[in-house]
């Protein structure tokens, strides 16, 4: 289990790793195109409010793919708890680490606005400052609105943590229940998560370090979780799928 979880974590880490070793950095003058809007639609599946829809869709897969429905429901409950715990960890780490988002760094530098002053404002006022900054620019309105809603600290990435945790859960339960259809499902979840991670970089919302910490947090929670669950006979049974 540990080996498989680690392999998938390393796979996800390739996104921030290649960004780091290539010297890629988000640029304030990045020209936004159709590719960016496609990534925006993907990033929305891992953030409020659409993350709830994503959870519902993934949960439905488990209800369909796991033959024992009581075990499927139990797995879904565990998943919900794990997702809640990781998002709680994120809420503690962000204000403690106080890292800026790339677009916020660029905005504060251009406006010569002290960092401390920006974060003293309420979330609503920070959003208005973002909208004012992009007023009259070529930045599309959908991206302005997205950034105006995301003015909290950056490290770790909440979207990336959500996506990475889903990968860990998909891989872990596929192995725990020995269900080949869940294994196929984990491949699709991994591909989706890679796109979510990529979107956070390209849209100027996060740095590679933000993604790496999110992936590491998801891996750690998953290792602890799937070290415990096999001890429960309820889960440690082949689903025969």
């Amino acid at each position: 289990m540990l080996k498989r979880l680690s392999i998938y974590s390393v796979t996800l880490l390739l996104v921030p790793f290649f960004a780091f070793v290539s010297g890629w950095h988000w640029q304030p003058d990045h020209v936004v195109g159709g590719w960016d809007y496609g990534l925006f639609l993907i990033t929305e599946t891992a953030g409020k409010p659409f993350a709830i829809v994503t959870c519902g869709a993934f949960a439905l897969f488990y209800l369909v793919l796991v033959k024992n429905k009581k075990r499927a429901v139990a797995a879904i409950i565990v998943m919900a708890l794990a997702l809640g715990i990781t998002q709680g960890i994120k809420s503690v780490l962000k204000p403690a680490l106080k890292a800026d988002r790339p677009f916020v760094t660029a905005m504060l530098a251009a406006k010569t606005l002290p960092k401390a002053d920006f974060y003293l404002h309420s979330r609503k006022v920070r959003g208005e400052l973002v909208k004012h900054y992009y007023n009259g620019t070529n930045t599309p309105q959908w991206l302005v609105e997205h950034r105006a809603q995301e003015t909290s600290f950056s490290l770790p990435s909440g979207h990336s943590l959500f996506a990475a945790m889903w990968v860990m859960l998909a891989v872990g339960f596929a192995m725990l229940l020995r269900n080949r259809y869940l294994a196929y499902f984990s491949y699709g979840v991994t591909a989706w998560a890679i796109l979510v991670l990529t979107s956070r970089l390209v849209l100027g919302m996060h740095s590679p370090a933000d993604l790496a910490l999110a992936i590491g947090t998801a891996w750690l929670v998953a290792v602890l979780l799937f070290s415990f669950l096999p001890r429960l006979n309820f889960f440690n049974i082949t689903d025969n799928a």
Side-chain angles (χ1 to χ4, degrees):
M1 180 73 78
L2 175 62
K3 181 179 179 180
R4 187 64 62 86
L5 292 172
S6 298
I7 289 173
Y8 276 81
S9 293
V10 170
T11 300
L12 296 180
L13 282 169
L14 290 176
V15 176
F17 174 76
F18 282 127
F20 178 77
V21 299
S22 67
W24 180 90
H25 295 283
W26 175 80
Q27 299 296 330
D29 57 355
H30 168 71
V31 178
V32 180
W35 163 251
D36 298 86
Y37 186 68
L39 287 176
F40 165 71
L41 294 179
I42 292 170
T43 213
E44 287 285 85
T45 63
K48 299 176 182 178
F50 299 106
I52 298 297
V53 178
T54 300
C55 288
F58 287 172
L60 183 60
F61 273 102
Y62 279 85
L63 285 174
V64 172
L65 298 177
V66 177
K67 288 187 176 182
N68 186 312
K69 301 311 175 187
K70 288 184 178 180
R71 197 173 297 134
V73 171
I76 292 169
I77 293 173
V78 171
M79 291 175 184
L81 291 173
L83 290 165
I85 289 170
T86 52
Q87 290 301 309
I89 293 173
K90 173 212 70 176
S91 297
V92 172
L93 290 177
K94 277 182 182 283
L97 299 175
K98 300 184 186 301
D100 295 333
R101 296 175 186 272
F103 84 87
V104 171
T105 298
M107 184 184 76
L108 296 182
K111 298 285 288 184
T112 64
L113 181 67
K115 173 179 176 178
D117 290 351
F118 179 75
Y119 291 108
L120 282 176
H121 293 299
S122 66
R123 187 187 187 96
K124 181 179 180 180
V125 172
R126 294 199 304 268
E128 292 301 321
L129 289 172
V130 171
K131 291 179 182 179
H132 179 73
Y133 172 71
Y134 285 108
N135 186 37
T137 68
N138 293 325
T139 305
Q141 191 60 31
W142 55 264
L143 185 52
V144 174
E145 293 292 337
H146 182 59
R147 289 176 177 168
Q149 294 173 8
E150 301 282 345
T151 58
S152 61
F153 290 113
S154 182
L155 182 66
S157 165
H159 287 68
S160 301
L161 182 53
F162 175 79
M165 195 63 224
W166 263 116
V167 172
M168 296 296 101
L169 291 169
V171 172
F173 274 108
M175 293 192 67
L176 186 63
L177 299 178
R178 302 177 183 86
N179 184 309
R180 68 178 183 275
Y181 296 118
L182 292 183
Y184 300 148
F185 174 68
S186 69
Y187 303 152
V189 173
T190 302
W192 163 76
I194 288 173
L195 290 174
V196 170
L197 294 169
T198 302
S199 73
R200 304 314 286 163
L201 294 176
V202 174
L203 297 177
M205 305 304 293
H206 288 286
S207 69
D210 300 340
L211 273 60
L213 181 57
I215 296 165
T217 301
W219 173 83
L220 179 59
V221 171
V223 168
L224 295 174
L225 175 65
F226 289 106
S227 295
F228 169 73
L229 289 182
R231 301 178 185 180
L232 303 178
N233 291 331
F234 182 75
F235 282 114
N236 199 21
I237 301 174
T238 302
D239 194 55
N240 294 321

